[in-house]
Amino acid sequence: MLGLQYIALAVALASSLTEAKITCKCLPGSPCFPSQAVISSFENTLSQPLIHPRPMGSVCFPNDPTFNQAECDSVKAKWHNGAFRTSVPQAAQFINWETMINSTAVDQCDPFGDVNDPANTCYQGRVPWGVVNVTSIADIQRTVRFASRHNLKLIVKNTGHENLGRSFGQKSIMLWTHNMQEIKFSDRFIPKGAPRGTTGVTAVTIEPGVQWGTLYRAVADRGQLVVGGIGAGGSVGAGGGWPMGGGHSVLSPFYGLGVDNILEETVVLPSGEHVTANRFTNPDLFWALRGGGGPSFGILTSVTYRTHPAPPVTAAFLVANTTTEEGRLELFKEWVKIHPDIVDAGWAGFWPYSGTQFFLTLMAMGNPPTNPKATSTLQGFYDKIATIPGVSIDLEVTKPYTGFQQWYDDNFIHSQNGIGFNYTVGDFSGVPAAVSSVLIPRTSFETQVDDLANALAELTDARPFLVGGGVVSKVDPD
């Protein structure tokens, strides 16, 4: 019976798609595109003038109207600075998303090439035609309605940490939410529409331009912590794709995924309507927003996260070096074997590896760790790999921190104070990169040790996160 229902649904969908009129988006230069007078009229309704950006590298091309040698030198100096790339609308973290690639050409704007060759041109690529510098909800609503009315390609960027390039688009109009930076705290937050008598909880509400580095510090100043994303420099957005994509965090094993900590969201829908979503108001939309991928169901205008007390933590750091392929593979096998035990012992964190080196940057709650198995389990792994031929332990450190914030500051903001893997250097920006990711289930670590170890060893460079288990494994998948 269930199969027949699915068939009926498929037929209904196919029928509706056949009847629907499907048209391509209207792009600049096409007869359907709004006239300058219409665009000017729209611009007059916005809080800020429209921006028509050229690619960052355009200032380095003598044959480009924007050429400026001093600005070129400045752009080159900041080219690989991820924090800078979040602060301008025309830059993505990975430059291939700024580039238009097809079967015959690669239209790019590379300031490090032969810019003095008259034949070389700075192409617009996937850098948007126009940018709305959003400072109000009304800016978003008016832009959504304008784009809908004229069938324009609409994209959204808050920081540009978007591994699939969806925050850029050729000849698009961009809603740039970077400058919406408000942060509000509540000691007794109650979601809209909650029944009488609902107990309030500590929470923080942010606008979509706030980045995790800023939010972590603001929350820590109140003696609390919030479950969030991590990137060198703190430039990952806290109010965009991270919560809408699920939100994995080094704190997830202790407090749940990002979506488990969201209390309420406000969004502008494709209709232009501004609505609130939580467990009591628009609960279906709330479910969809927490993992449906952004901006699939709406454009975030605020997110409210639960905050938590900030206990002291214990960190563990390891640098292991391998001199043989056999030793490297054996190290991965031992790591895969003990991985479930490491999780159960209360550790979370990162285990990047590059070339011959394998690193651990782990964290456990409490000082000493509250989980009684934490120290002995990790030491057992160290002792085991030390006996593998071709493996040497170059660094093994356990260090107490006053809390998550100090650990984060030392290793991801001021990495000169960090231990082991240098995340500021290891997290790259301003390069062409195709990043893929996969959630590896616990069963793979328990029943497919050799297969998983071989797969890991095939990768020369990877940034695995230990962000599952613990509270994450106890949350209802629904």
Side-chain angles (χ1 to χ4, degrees), residues 321-473:
N321 194 51
T322 57
T323 57
T324 66
E325 286 298 318
E326 294 78 12
R328 185 170 180 267
L329 180 58
E330 283 303 311
L331 186 153
F332 279 121
K333 286 182 180 179
E334 293 302 327
W335 175 242
V336 170
K337 283 182 198 174
I338 202 168
H339 202 82
D341 293 337
I342 295 288
V343 174
D344 294 342
W347 293 101
F350 306 93
W351 44 286
Y353 58 92
S354 183
T356 63
Q357 289 188 301
F358 176 88
F359 303 86
L360 292 181
T361 303
L362 302 181
M363 180 178 66
M365 289 292 142
N367 176 33
T370 54
N371 190 309
K373 296 181 179 179
T375 302
S376 61
T377 302
L378 196 57
Q379 188 60 52
F381 171 66
Y382 294 164
D383 293 344
K384 184 67 176 179
I385 64 172
T387 66
I388 299 174
V391 175
S392 62
I393 295 179
D394 297 341
L395 179 144
E396 179 188 324
V397 174
T398 301
K399 180 178 178 180
Y401 287 93
T402 56
F404 164 78
Q405 187 65 38
Q406 187 188 25
W407 174 86
Y408 172 76
D409 280 344
D410 278 4
N411 292 281
F412 295 92
I413 302 299
H414 307 294
S415 56
Q416 69 274 14
N417 300 326
I419 300 172
F421 188 78
N422 187 322
Y423 288 89
T424 302
V425 174
D427 275 12
F428 41 80
S429 295
V431 297
V435 178
S436 63
S437 63
V438 62
L439 287 170
I440 307 175
R442 183 182 177 111
T443 53
S444 294
F445 289 91
E446 294 174 329
T447 64
Q448 298 173 288
V449 173
D450 287 354
D451 289 343
L452 181 52
N454 280 313
L456 293 171
E458 283 293 315
L459 298 172
T460 303
D461 187 271
R463 302 285 183 272
F465 299 166
L466 198 171
V467 293
V471 173
V472 176
S473 64

